[in-house]
Structure formats: structure tokens, C-alpha cells
Amino acid sequence: MEGVGIPKELIPSVCPYCAVGCGFYLEVEKGRATGLEYMPEHPTGEGGLCPKGNAVLEVLNHEERLRYPLKRNGDEWIRISWEEALDLVAKGLSKAVQEHGGRSLGFLASSRCNNEENYALQKMARLLGSPNVDNCARLCHSPTVVGLGGALGTGAMTNNIRDLENSRCILAIGTNLAEAHPVVSRWIHKAKDNGAKIIVVDPRITHTSWMADLHLRLKPGTDIDLLRGMMKAAIEEGSIDRSFIADRTNGFEDLKRSLEGFTVEKAAELTGLSAGEIIKAARLYSRSEASALLYSMGITQHICGTDNVRACTDLALICGQIGRPGAGIWPMRGQNNVQGTCDMGAMVEFYPGYKRASDPSSVDLFKTSWGAPSLPEGQGMTSTEMMDAALEGQIRAMYVIGEDPVICDPNTSKTQKALESLDFLVVQEIFLTATAKLADIVLPAAAWAEKDGSYTSMERRIQWIDKAVPAPEEAKEGLSIICEIARRLGHDLNYTSASEVLEEINQTVPAYRGATRSRISNPGGLPWPCPAEDHPGTEILHVGGFSTPDGRANLAVVENVPPAEVPSPEYPILLTTGRIVVHYNSGSMTRRSPSLMERDPELYVEVNPEDASSLKIADGSMVVVSTLRGGTRAKARLTNAVKPGMVFMPFHYHGANLITSDARDPVSKIPEYKAAACNIVPAE
Ligand SMILES: Nc1nc2c(c(=O)[nH]1)N[C@H]1C(S)=C(S)[C@@H](COP(=O)(O)OP(=O)(O)OC[C@H]3O[C@@H](n4cnc5c(=O)[nH]c(N)nc54)[C@H](O)[C@@H]3O)O[C@H]1N2
Ligand SMILES: Nc1nc2c(c(=O)[nH]1)N[C@H]1C(S)=C(S)[C@@H](COP(=O)(O)OP(=O)(O)OC[C@H]3O[C@@H](n4cnc5c(=O)[nH]c(N)nc54)[C@H](O)[C@@H]3O)O[C@H]1N2
Ligand code: SF4
Ligand SMILES: [Mo]
């Protein structure tokens, strides 16, 4: 019989796409991943996977995986040896340091890579004297890290995903989790089966709003007005939690005073909703036994992203909806390891474990623990600021790991110019992305299944996976590449394995102290904080007190700031961008997956039929969408999912970010991907 006698192994793994962190088994035969088996014992997905997880082998085994180090020679790529590639990288980086100082180096860490690679990268950056090490959380949940962190002391999901089952009301604001975090939907459905009421706040009709009992289709960029309206209603109706406010928060009197001149009717006028809808939402949320507040990019990707997060937190706090089963705040984080990459200090505000880079005592701590005579003090440049600095000649060389800013950063032409103006660019990737195509040197990296290491999901779950299969041809594990480059630059990081890096993380990041390799190797791993080897990990944060210095949460007074670009006679339509279920971010992986491409092959724009008829646009026809930054071609899809005056574009194909706005939130520096003023015309 065929197949008999061929040994098949099932090796536990974690999905490399989103931060839900679903587990599955890789079926490995003769050193090749040949299939997936579900993992019903995984606590988050209980074996469930979304279309991307199910199709992941099409990408892992793809023939276009990078296999050899490459050097650019004009428009051609020359295959070179690892020795030559690493020497050239060391030379490119050290030239910038010698001529312009350590601060002329910029590093983009990868929240698609594991904790150990990111820890090593930020350490190398700082040992080289550069404070400029950042990751894609900047484009995503940087408002959460600073906003939620400032309010509660910890900028992370307060409860876990399956705890949603215990919620009696779920307020999902600016999150399309049914497409972006599909496996979370099962817990929302369970909550619904238990009688929970679901409120979705989104200007568009989405797969998530289909689950809603109440869908608030507000005007984009008016969330603070809505949240203030809900707070006002709850205060007036006496459904706030007075004892929680008194015992556990600071700043209520100021917040209340700031709402004095404000009314629910005013909120209705500003948001385009009715006062009745706002009151209904406030009643459902504030009066339920346990309410969950979920938010994501509809909240963060605005020039008032941090204030939006603070307004969400204010509502949860004054209603006492936090710190209990089913009650809390669920920031729906993006990438498989974006939580961990931030925990590891691969972002400019923080050294590992959220030790502030601007605080000399945290820098001293790492000087001692790394045996480093000097380390850069103060906050470095964010990824978005690095692009400006590259254009101005302050950043001269960049090392980019697993990020594709040419497709994903706003205002593509500017990003492209910034990267082209560098003296030296190295990209470490699994595919030749649009960004890699601009590099001097491209380093082929092992993908998730081809290396050991840990990943921290959005519910703070630290999960270790072992290498299951070898990397293609000469592709190498990221950690060993980083160590080789650091050694050539005079810094022996001294790691021979990912386990050794984890041991150092256990020492330097208090929340990871008890997260040893053996303890996090089981399906589901352990949720941090896990401060000791006999600690079980923490499912729900802030139960007795908050992690702020005085143990109390801080309320904030915030007012809405309209988007930087508002529709004008020349650009009368509001463009918003976001996600669809089958594609993932730059699409560098999912656009290589035949089964996913079959479902959504090209850039499109959703247009309301009313607008389409006045603009003479037919369903399925090609249009040009233009903003101040230029134009892009897309196929029109006529749908009532967007209201008149607004269009939606997924950003997973080249083109969408040619036209998005690079206006930024002054606090977190996140770009306003969710609002630009555009016009649309039929394509020639
Ligand atoms: N399939 C898929 N899944 C993904 C990703 C992917 O690319 N594809 N990416 C991952 C990453 S990195 C992230 S960060 C997450 C993001 O996940 P989400 O944040 O859920 O995704 P988005 O589609 O960007 O935005 C969510 C919703 O915000 C709404 N919105 C826009 N403007 C406003 C507004 O002003 N107010 C409100 N209330 N809502 C608004 C949009 O209509 C959209 O439905 O997804 C992760 N999961
Ligand atoms: N218009 C618009 N633009 C947006 C957004 C939006 O809503 N609208 N959302 C923003 C958000 S939230 C985010 S997070 C960013 C995402 O921006 P990016 O982080 O640039 O997007 P990804 O496609 O996830 O890029 C990750 C890269 O890592 C590579 N990779 C995967 N695994 C590995 C590995 O193991 N090793 C190495 N070395 N590389 C690997 C992949 O091939 C891919 O090219 O996009 C932002 N851009
Ligand atoms: S929900 Fe996220 S982690 Fe789970 S299978 Fe889909 S992409 Fe992977
Ligand atoms: Mo993200």
C-alpha cells in the first residue's frame, strides 16, 4: 500500500499571520511540511483556523521563497555567498556609524518574527549607538501602547479571548474582527448564544456588523464624540459605577466637568447617529453585568488615535467594566508577534519590559545587564519619522527585517524616495518584496516553521515553537544572521540558540521571568505576566489594582479632533482603507497563495451606488482614485456597505498607499490611514 512505512511527524506550530495566535500541527514528511492537522486542545481557537491559516503551506513551500543572499547590481540581482553578504552588510552599517554616528542607523524590527530575533535586534541596534529601532506597531497599536499604558499602567489586552464568552455586552468599535481576527468570532457567537448584546461601531457594513444587535454607522473620525455622548448618557442616567470610580480611578471630577456643556443631542449631530441610538448603546454597555470593549484600527489609525484610545478607556472605567471575567478592554492587536516585539523593546519609547528609553535609570539597568559601557539615551525616531529623516539625510543606513514599508507605509512615493536616498539598505526577508527590491543587499531568512522561538499573541500568550522543517537552500534563521552581523561590528551577542536568548529575556523582562522554554512549549503556552517559575500566568489583568504607580487608573479629558483631510470641492469623497479576510497586510505572502488569490485577486474600491451613478461609474469598471498625493487604478465594486460620500479600499495590493495620508497623531506618530480626501473618475 502507498504511504506505508513513510514516517510522518506531527509538530506543534503557531499560525504566522495574525495575533490571535491559533495553534495547529504541521505534518512533516522527509523534511518537508506536507499538511496541517487541527489542534482542538488549543485554548484560543480550539482547532479552528481561518482561510489564511488553512492555506499557509502554499506560502511556506512557495517556489519564490528567497534561497540565497543577493546583491543588487543596477536592475540585476547577483547571487553571493553568505560570507560576502554579511561582510557587505557590516561594511555598509559601519561606514554610516563612522561617518555620521550611531544615530544615523535605522532599524525596523519585525513583529512577524519571534521574540528572540527581536530582542537580539534591538540589543544590537542600541549597542551600535542607535536608539532608532521600531516595529509596525507604530502603524497599528502604538496609540494602545502609550494610551492604554498611560491609563492602566499596561498597554495590553486586559482579559483573554475565550473570556468573551462571559461577557453580557460586547462593544466592538473600529474593529472588523470577523475578517481580521476571524477565530475570535466563535467566542462572540458563544457570548451571543448566552444572551449577550453585541454593539458594533463602524461606518461600514462589515462581516462583524452582521453579528450586531445594534450597529452604529457613525461618521468616520467621530468616535470621541460618540464615546463622550455615551459617557454623558451614563452619567445622567446614573448607570456609572460610583464606587469603582472612587476606589480605583483618578480624574473623574475633571472628566465630568469636561462634559458639562456637552449633550447626547450634540453627540448625535456630530456623529450622524440618533440620540436614541447613543442612549441605547450607553444603556446596554453600562448596565450589563459584564461588558467587553473591543477596538482596533478604526480607533487607532487617526491623528487623534491616542485620544480615541483614552476615550474608550474612560468609558470602560467610569462604568466599572474592567478587571472581572467578561469585563475589560480588548485591543485587537495585529501581527502574530506584535505584542512580543513591543515587550522586547523593539520600539523607540522602550527598552525591554517597557523600561522607558527617556529614563536614564532604565538605560543604566541595561548597561549593567548587557555589560555595555554606553547605550543611547532618550527616545529614538519612530519608523514614520525615520522615513522623513532619511529624506533629510539624517538616517543614512537602514536594516529592515520582515516589513514592507513600500506597500504598507502611507504615501508610497515619499517612502520610496526615502529608502532610495539611503546610502545603504539591507532587507532580511522570506520573499523579494517591493521594499527588498530597493535594497543593496537582500538576506534570505527562515520562515516561522523553520526556526525555534517564542511568539506572544494579542492575549499575552507566550507560545514557543520548535523548528519543524529546514529552511529552503541557504536561507538562515534570523537570529543567527543578526548575531553574525553584530559580531562583525564588534559586538559578540554570544547566543548560540534561541533558548539562550529566552533565558536572557527571562532575566531582563519581569513579566516573562517564569516563561521558560519548557513551560511555554505546550499548546497555548502561558499568558504574561508570569513573574516566577511557579506562577501560572495571568488571564485577567487589573483584578485588584491597576499597574500604575499608585495602583489607580487615570481618566483623561479628551475632545475630538477631525481628520487632517476633510472633503473639499476638489476631493469631495472620504477614502478609508483596511482589511479583507483572505489577504494579509502587504500581501507579500497571501498574494502568493493560489487559493486565496482565487477569492480576491486585485485592488478594488467599494463605492456607494448613489455616488457611482452621479460619477458615471459601473460595477466592475476601472476607476482612478486620486488624493493630493496622486492617483491609483482600482476596480469599482458598487455596494451599500459604504455610505454615499465615502469609499473603502483594501491595502493589500500595490496602489492603495500611493494615495493615503501621512498625517500623524502627535503622541504616537501613527499615520491616519482611515481618512483621506479623494475624488474618483472612470479610468480612461
Ligand atoms: N485578514 C486579515 N487579518 C488581519 C490583517 C490583514 O491584513 N488581513 N492584519 C492584521 C493587523 S496588522 C491588524 S492591525 C489587525 C487590524 O484589524 P482591524 O482594525 O479590525 O482592521 P481594519 O479593516 O483596518 O479596520 C477595522 C474597521 O475600522 C473601520 N473604521 C474606519 N474608520 C473608522 C472610524 O473612524 N471609526 C470607527 N469606529 N471605525 C472605523 C473600518 O470600516 C473597518 O471595518 O488585523 C490583523 N488581521
Ligand atoms: N492603507 C493602509 N495601510 C496600512 C494599514 C491600513 O489599515 N491601511 N495598516 C497598517 C498596519 S496596522 C500594519 S501592522 C502594517 C503592516 O506592515 P508590514 O509589517 O510591512 O506588513 P506585512 O505584510 O505583515 O510585512 C511583513 C513582512 O515580513 C515578511 N516575513 C514573514 N515572516 C517572516 C520571517 O519569519 N522572517 C522575515 N525576515 N520576514 C518575514 C513577509 O514576507 C512580509 O513581507 O501596515 C500598515 N499599513
Ligand atoms: S485567525 Fe489569525 S492566527 Fe488564527 S488562523 Fe487566522 S490568521 Fe492565523
Ligand atoms: Mo497592524
Side-chain angles (χ1 to χ4, degrees):
M1 245 166 30
E2 216 186 329
V4 169
I6 298 175
K8 267 191 201 173
E9 250 188 300
L10 285 182
I11 302 182
S13 199
V14 173
C15 178
Y17 286 112
C18 91
V20 178
C22 298
F24 51 78
Y25 293 96
L26 279 173
E27 194 181 88
V28 177
E29 260 177 278
K30 294 187 184 162
R32 191 174 161 83
T34 51
L36 296 184
E37 281 277 342
Y38 296 125
M39 187 186 270
E41 67 276 29
H42 194 280
T44 313
E46 295 187 328
L49 296 177
C50 80
K52 295 177 297 302
N54 271 308
V56 76
L57 292 188
E58 294 174 15
V59 178
L60 182 70
N61 295 328
H62 199 280
E63 58 178 18
E64 286 167 16
R65 283 285 307 276
L66 289 169
R67 284 151 212 273
Y68 308 101
L70 301 173
K71 178 168 113 174
R72 190 151 57 89
N73 184 19
D75 289 339
E76 294 199 342
W77 291 101
I78 304 173
R79 177 177 157 185
I80 55 174
S81 70
W82 268 108
E83 275 306 299
E84 186 182 354
L86 295 166
D87 287 346
L88 286 170
V89 172
K91 202 169 126 201
L93 299 180
S94 68
K95 184 165 176 278
V97 176
Q98 275 158 18
E99 292 175 5
H100 307 281
R103 286 174 188 261
S104 70
L105 298 180
F107 294 81
L108 297 188
S110 176
S111 50
R112 302 295 295 278
C113 287
N114 57 43
N115 287 322
E116 292 70 20
E117 288 166 284
N118 282 298
Y119 185 87
L121 182 77
Q122 60 79 34
K123 184 170 172 180
M124 171 171 91
R126 287 166 167 145
L127 289 173
L128 289 170
S130 173
N132 311 319
V133 54
D134 214 20
N135 77 87
C136 75
R138 188 63 51 203
L139 312 176
C140 181
H141 271 289
S142 50
T144 297
V145 180
V146 293
L148 201 61
L152 310 181
T154 308
M157 186 175 279
T158 61
N159 301 40
N160 63 34
I161 293 169
R162 61 184 300 147
D163 184 47
L164 287 169
E165 188 182 19
N166 300 316
S167 303
R168 310 297 295 170
C169 171
I170 295 175
L171 170 59
I173 174 162
T175 149
N176 182 12
L177 59 96
E179 295 209 57
H181 306 99
V183 169
V184 174
S185 302
R186 67 189 283 113
W187 299 105
I188 310 257
H189 283 296
K190 286 194 189 204
K192 224 171 139 72
D193 291 346
N194 295 339
K197 291 284 184 241
I198 316 295
I199 309 168
V200 171
V201 183
D202 197 306
R204 299 187 304 136
I205 295 173
T206 64
H207 292 218
T208 308
S209 72
W210 294 347
M211 295 192 270
D213 297 284
L214 178 63
H215 177 195
L216 303 181
R217 290 186 81 181
L218 83 182
K219 234 170 74 185
T222 61
D223 296 86
I224 292 178
D225 296 323
L226 166 67
L227 291 158
R228 292 179 83 218
M230 288 174 70
M231 287 192 261
K232 185 76 183 183
I235 292 171
E236 278 178 351
E237 295 195 346
S239 58
I240 54 172
D241 188 337
R242 294 206 165 273
S243 60
F244 188 92
I245 293 170
D247 297 345
R248 300 196 53 188
T249 69
N250 298 318
F252 180 66
E253 285 313 315
D254 287 342
L255 174 63
K256 198 171 151 202
R257 211 169 306 123
S258 76
L259 291 166
E260 263 164 23
F262 197 70
T263 59
V264 175
E265 287 67 30
K266 183 80 191 154
E269 185 192 316
L270 293 166
T271 54
L273 301 166
S274 72
E277 285 174 303
I278 298 176
I279 291 168
K280 187 167 178 199
R283 284 183 185 156
L284 288 172
Y285 179 82
S286 62
R287 293 179 184 180
S288 101
E289 280 159 53
S291 291
L293 191 154
L294 281 56
Y295 72 84
S296 194
M297 299 299 100
I299 283 294
T300 58
Q301 289 176 338
H302 288 281
I303 54 163
C304 54
T306 306
D307 285 350
N308 276 346
V309 170
R310 293 303 293 252
C312 289
T313 317
D314 282 350
L315 175 70
L317 287 167
I318 68 168
C319 298
Q321 295 290 14
I322 192 163
R324 286 176 283 119
I329 301 179
W330 279 253
M332 305 298 287
R333 299 297 294 257
Q335 308 261 43
N336 58 334
N337 196 38
V338 66
Q339 180 66 55
T341 303
C342 297
D343 299 344
M344 295 304 112
M347 72 188 297
V348 295
E349 290 94 337
F350 302 106
Y351 273 73
Y354 300 100
K355 300 280 183 336
R356 282 204 171 275
S358 54
D359 176 356
S361 72
S362 44
V363 181
D364 286 345
L365 196 84
F366 284 95
K367 279 186 192 159
T368 311
S369 87
W370 294 343
S374 78
L375 288 174
E377 284 190 13
Q379 185 169 318
M381 290 180 214
T382 64
S383 64
T384 42
E385 290 168 328
M386 283 185 225
M387 296 299 168
D388 293 344
L391 283 171
E392 289 159 11
Q394 282 171 276
I395 294 279
R396 307 302 288 237
M398 282 183 80
Y399 182 1
V400 176
I401 302 189
E403 266 198 35
D404 194 0
V406 170
I407 304 291
C408 291
D409 279 21
N411 193 355
T412 308
S413 344
K414 182 177 144 189
T415 309
Q416 218 154 348
K417 270 193 216 115
L419 294 172
E420 280 165 359
S421 67
L422 294 169
D423 296 338
F424 183 71
L425 173 64
V426 50
V427 173
Q428 187 165 311
E429 252 295 341
I430 63 172
F431 289 111
L432 193 66
T433 57
T435 303
K437 285 182 183 160
L438 299 181
D440 296 288
I441 303 289
V442 175
L443 303 175
W448 96 103
E450 301 156 354
K451 59 195 173 191
D452 288 347
S454 64
Y455 299 82
T456 308
S457 75
M458 63 157 104
E459 47 179 356
R460 298 172 276 106
R461 219 172 254 300
I462 316 166
Q463 310 189 81
W464 179 276
I465 53 173
D466 288 332
K467 172 174 174 170
V469 287
E473 304 294 340
E474 290 185 13
K476 265 187 201 279
E477 297 185 24
L479 178 63
S480 76
I481 305 175
I482 295 163
C483 290
E484 283 288 336
I485 294 171
R487 192 173 58 75
R488 280 170 169 74
L489 292 167
H491 297 284
D492 193 346
L493 298 181
N494 242 331
Y495 305 124
T496 56
S497 66
S499 303
E500 287 178 15
V501 186
L502 180 63
E503 282 164 23
E504 184 172 322
I505 295 168
N506 295 148
Q507 298 308 311
T508 55
V509 180
Y512 281 63
R513 192 145 294 157
T516 55
R517 176 173 171 170
S518 61
R519 297 191 73 211
I520 57 174
S521 291
N522 298 328
L526 277 177
W528 67 248
C530 179
E533 277 204 54
D534 56 0
H535 190 284
T538 310
E539 303 288 352
I540 302 183
L541 299 178
H542 315 305
V543 173
F546 290 96
S547 30
T548 47
D550 66 358
R552 297 165 74 90
N554 299 308
L555 294 162
V557 171
V558 289
E559 291 219 24
N560 201 48
V561 182
E565 277 185 27
V566 287
S568 62
E570 199 180 345
Y571 298 106
I573 296 172
L574 185 132
L575 164 73
T576 190
T577 60
R579 292 161 171 79
I580 57 175
V581 65
V582 292
H583 282 298
Y584 195 81
N585 291 350
S586 67
S588 67
M589 291 165 75
T590 50
R591 280 188 285 112
R592 286 186 165 87
S593 179
S595 67
L596 300 175
M597 276 307 266
E598 206 176 322
R599 289 177 57 173
D600 252 305
E602 66 198 329
L603 180 62
Y604 64 87
V605 56
E606 290 183 354
V607 185
N608 182 278
E610 250 178 61
D611 285 343
S613 103
S614 60
L615 296 164
K616 312 229 174 330
I617 290 169
D619 191 29
S621 67
M622 292 305 289
V623 294
V624 177
V625 187
S626 304
T627 66
L628 275 173
R629 289 150 296 280
T632 193
R633 284 169 67 91
K635 190 175 255 185
R637 280 193 192 170
L638 271 45
T639 166
N640 286 315
V642 287
K643 285 192 173 175
M646 170 181 182
V647 295
F648 168 81
M649 231 186 215
F651 74 103
H652 313 296
Y653 316 84
H654 182 68
N657 276 323
L658 277 171
I659 59 174
T660 48
S661 159
D662 54 354
R664 301 196 279 251
D665 172 19
V667 185
S668 67
K669 311 285 160 77
I670 193 170
E672 192 161 55
Y673 290 114
K674 291 290 183 264
C678 74
N679 65 38
I680 308 182
V681 293
E684 294 288 302

